Amino acid sequence: MALSVKPLSDVLGAEVSGVDLSESVDEGAFSEILDAFHQYQLLRFPKQTLTPEQHIAFSRRFGDLEIHVCEQYLLPGHPEILLLSNELKQDGTRVSIADGGSGWHSDLSYMERPSLGSLLYAVQTPEKGGDTEWANMYAAYETLPDETKKRIEGLKAIHQFDQRSNPRLPPPDLRYRDAHSDELRALTPDVQHPIVRTHPVTGRKVLFVSLRFTIGIADMDDKEGAALLDELLAHQENPELIYHHQWKMGDLMMWDNRCTNHRACGEVVQLPDVRRLHRATVLGDVPY
Ligand code: SIN
C-alpha cells in the first residue's frame, strides 16, 4: 500500500497512512516521512501496534535517543522510553509520571541540546479527556508585531527544568511528580537559548520559548524581561496557532520540538480511565 500524507489542520500536522511501523520502513518511504515531518511539523501514524523494541527502532532512524534524566520514569527494561501513565501500583504508588507536560513546552529545552523530536505512542487512552495540543512556533514568530521581532532579535532566554522556581506556574503537585533532588538539579543547570532560533533543516525562524521551561530573559532587567516573556507566551496561546488532538489507541504522534510547543490538556492525573503513553525522544543540536 502506498504511503499517503493528508493535512490534519490548517495550522500544522498531517496524518500518514499506508505504513506499518512495526516493520522495517524502506528508504523510499522513510525519506517521504522525513519530508512530511519537515513540512508539517507533526505527524500522526494511526492504528499502529508497536512493541517497545519496534517503537525504539523506528525512533532511532531520526537520530540518537535521549535517556531521560529522571530514571524512575523510564519503562523498565527499555530506558529509551519515558512512561507517562496515571496507573497505580498495588501499593497505591504511581507506576510513573502521570503529568509529564500540562504546561506548554518543547521537550528538553532545559538541556544544552534540546530534543529534535518526540515519538509518543498511545498504548491505552481514556474514554474522554487526556487530549494533547501542539502550537506552530514558526507561525508564532511570523505573526509577532514587527517591533517585537526587532526587540527579541539576538536575545537569549533562560530555560529551567525544576518547576519550583518558575514564577508563572504553581509548585508541582508532589503527589504526582517527585521533587527534584540536589543531584538532579546538578545534572540540569539552567541553560540559555536564542529566543528566535533557526530551524537547521528548513532555515525558518522559530519563537523558542515556553511557559513550562522558560523562566526569564538573559541580560535584561527582571521586570522588563518578565513583561516581554509574558507577551511572547500569551502570543503563543493564540488558538489560530494550535492543533488539538484527541488520542485514539494505536496513534503514534511524532513532532518536531525545534518548531512546535505542546501540552497535555486538562487534569490528566485525575482521569477515571487509564492514560498510558510511551515516549521516545530524539536528541537534537545546540540551537542557534
Ligand atoms: C509530553 O509532554 O511529552 C507528553 C504530553 C502528553 O502527555 O500529552
Side-chain angles (χ1 to χ4, degrees), residues 84 100-101 105 107 120 131-132 247 255 262 264 275 277 279:
L84 296 151
H105 64 286
D107 290 327
L120 189 59
D131 301 352
T132 303
W247 289 92
W255 62 92
H262 63 280
R275 180 183 196 262
L277 302 166
R279 191 181 92 193

Side-chain angles (χ1 to χ4, degrees), residues 109-232:
S109 78
Y110 51 86
M111 303 292 271
E112 279 296 331
R113 290 176 61 189
S115 165
L116 177 156
S118 301
L119 297 96
L120 189 59
Y121 175 56
V123 179
Q124 200 161 342
T125 51
E127 189 71 34
K128 203 161 164 246
D131 301 352
T132 303
E133 51 192 16
W134 285 265
N136 180 339
M137 299 305 285
Y138 290 134
Y141 173 74
E142 286 155 11
T143 53
L144 283 171
D146 284 345
E147 203 179 299
T148 311
K149 283 185 189 157
K150 274 199 208 107
R151 207 170 154 214
I152 59 179
E153 199 62 52
L155 292 181
K156 288 193 167 188
I158 304 160
H159 295 244
Q160 185 175 81
F161 188 28
D162 194 344
Q163 186 171 318
R164 274 179 299 183
S165 38
N166 185 329
R168 291 176 184 77
L169 291 174
D173 189 330
L174 299 181
R175 285 172 303 165
Y176 308 125
R177 194 181 298 181
D178 298 335
H180 286 204
S181 61
D182 290 346
E183 194 190 351
L184 181 58
R185 261 181 277 145
L187 281 175
T188 53
D190 294 359
V191 292
Q192 295 184 9
H193 295 304
I195 293 181
V196 183
R197 73 179 287 188
T198 303
H199 193 288
V201 177
T202 65
R204 293 174 68 187
K205 287 184 176 179
V206 177
L207 180 64
F208 193 60
V209 289
S210 72
L211 175 68
R212 169 66 184 84
F213 294 134
T214 314
I215 57 153
I217 298 191
D219 303 321
M220 191 178 268
D221 165 77
D222 283 354
K223 217 166 144 196
E224 196 189 345
L228 177 57
L229 193 52
D230 284 344
E231 184 188 323
L232 299 174

Side-chain angles (χ1 to χ4, degrees), residues 259-272:
C259 55
T260 59
N261 277 354
H262 63 280
R263 68 167 174 184
C265 303
E267 295 289 327
V268 287
V269 285
Q270 309 285 9
L271 290 168

Side-chain angles (χ1 to χ4, degrees), residues 5-23:
V5 180
K6 291 204 182 104
L8 280 170
S9 75
D10 289 340
V11 62
L12 81 161
E15 178 161 317
V16 182
S17 44
V19 62
D20 178 353
L21 302 179
S22 69
E23 292 175 0

